Amino acid sequence: MNVRIEESWKRELAGEFQRDYFKALAHFVKEEYARGTVYPPPKEIFRAYDMCSFDKVKVVILGQDPYHGPEQANGLCFSVRESVAIPPSLKNIYKEIEEDTGQKMPRHGSLERWARQGVLLLNATLTVRAGSPASHQGKGWESFTDATVKLLNDKKDALAFLLWGSYAQKKGAVLDRNKHFVLEAAHPSPFSAERGFFGCRHFSLANYYLIMAGKEPVKW
């Protein structure tokens, strides 16, 4: 499979594309797109990487699956297209940012502005069958995104990782907390936001850390 991904990531992850699990994953994904509707569109599978090069990453936010509804998934975790209604979890993220920083949020749910500033918005699984959540879990994507997290941990310094919910926290277990700033909270879903996401102040804390590390803060 000729993977179309931003050049710095293609260089850093070159070994993963040659591994047996990735070859099997590529075959599975190709078959899924041929058989029915899969999100996001093929050209946006690696959009999180394409919009935030390896060299540019300074903050990492981990999600789980792409949205499985029509027109929602755009390759960035928690993000949707500007024409799509803002999902509940993202509404809660916006609410926390406003409470934490005083910054007013836009009326759309596109997070491209974050990605352009060096925020890697990475789902653990990069594709999903339409209307079928978790349908592409356990097929190899998790191995690929685990390799991404380990690569960032090993080769980068002073990154801020925002881990929301137990799934993201388990994925971040490999992180060296002496090298990076790791923030954990409940997931922003309406089912859990009241139990530790609201009031976490991750956005101002991450920016303070970036400033102390000599980096530009994120304009959330």
Side-chain angles (χ1 to χ4, degrees):
M1 175 178 168
N2 181 24
V3 177
R4 296 181 180 178
I5 190 172
E6 190 274 334
E7 284 302 315
S8 66
W9 284 111
K10 193 169 189 176
R11 177 188 71 238
E12 295 294 339
L13 290 166
E16 295 303 307
F17 301 129
Q18 304 306 316
R19 295 183 62 185
D20 289 343
Y21 87 83
F22 193 87
K23 293 175 182 178
L25 169 64
H27 178 76
F28 167 78
V29 170
K30 184 177 180 180
E31 290 293 310
E32 284 285 281
Y33 275 100
R35 189 178 295 124
T37 302
V38 173
Y39 300 125
K43 66 181 180 181
E44 295 181 345
I45 292 174
F46 295 104
R47 194 154 176 256
Y49 298 85
D50 293 338
M51 292 201 70
C52 182
S53 69
F54 177 78
D55 301 324
K56 192 177 179 181
V57 178
K58 57 188 178 186
V59 178
V60 181
I61 297 177
L62 298 180
Q64 192 163 352
D65 273 7
Y67 295 117
H68 56 87
E71 301 299 319
Q72 287 185 304
N74 66 1
L76 307 176
C77 73
F78 294 105
S79 176
V80 292
R81 304 177 197 286
E82 289 192 13
S83 59
V84 175
I86 301 174
S89 290
L90 184 53
K91 283 184 180 178
N92 287 338
I93 290 170
Y94 278 2
K95 182 178 178 181
E96 175 60 22
I97 292 172
E98 291 192 356
E99 288 290 326
D100 182 20
T101 70
Q103 184 178 329
K104 289 296 180 185
M105 292 293 97
R107 295 183 179 180
H108 62 77
S110 172
L111 301 180
E112 289 184 12
R113 65 191 183 281
W114 295 3
R116 291 193 187 100
Q117 295 177 75
V119 181
L120 182 66
L121 296 162
L122 184 65
N123 275 316
T125 303
L126 301 188
T127 55
V128 69
R129 197 177 305 137
S132 184
S135 51
H136 286 188
Q137 288 183 8
K139 303 297 183 181
W141 279 130
E142 295 91 342
S143 295
F144 182 75
T145 52
D146 280 349
T148 301
V149 172
K150 188 173 189 308
L151 175 70
L152 290 167
N153 177 72
D154 294 350
K155 288 200 170 184
K156 301 280 285 186
D157 291 306
L159 299 182
F161 287 85
L162 280 52
L163 309 180
W164 302 328
S166 60
Y167 188 91
Q169 288 157 20
K170 288 174 185 174
K171 200 169 186 69
V174 299
L175 298 173
D176 182 346
R177 293 164 192 243
N178 294 315
K179 251 180 102 173
H180 305 290
F181 190 43
V182 182
L183 294 167
E184 298 184 351
H187 194 277
S189 160
F191 300 106
S192 55
E194 296 282 358
R195 299 198 301 270
F197 179 76
F198 290 137
C200 70
R201 300 187 63 236
H202 281 189
F203 305 94
S204 62
L205 289 169
N207 273 350
Y208 180 76
Y209 175 78
L210 292 175
I211 292 168
M212 291 297 99
K215 301 180 182 183
E216 282 290 318
V218 176
K219 295 178 182 176
W220 302 106

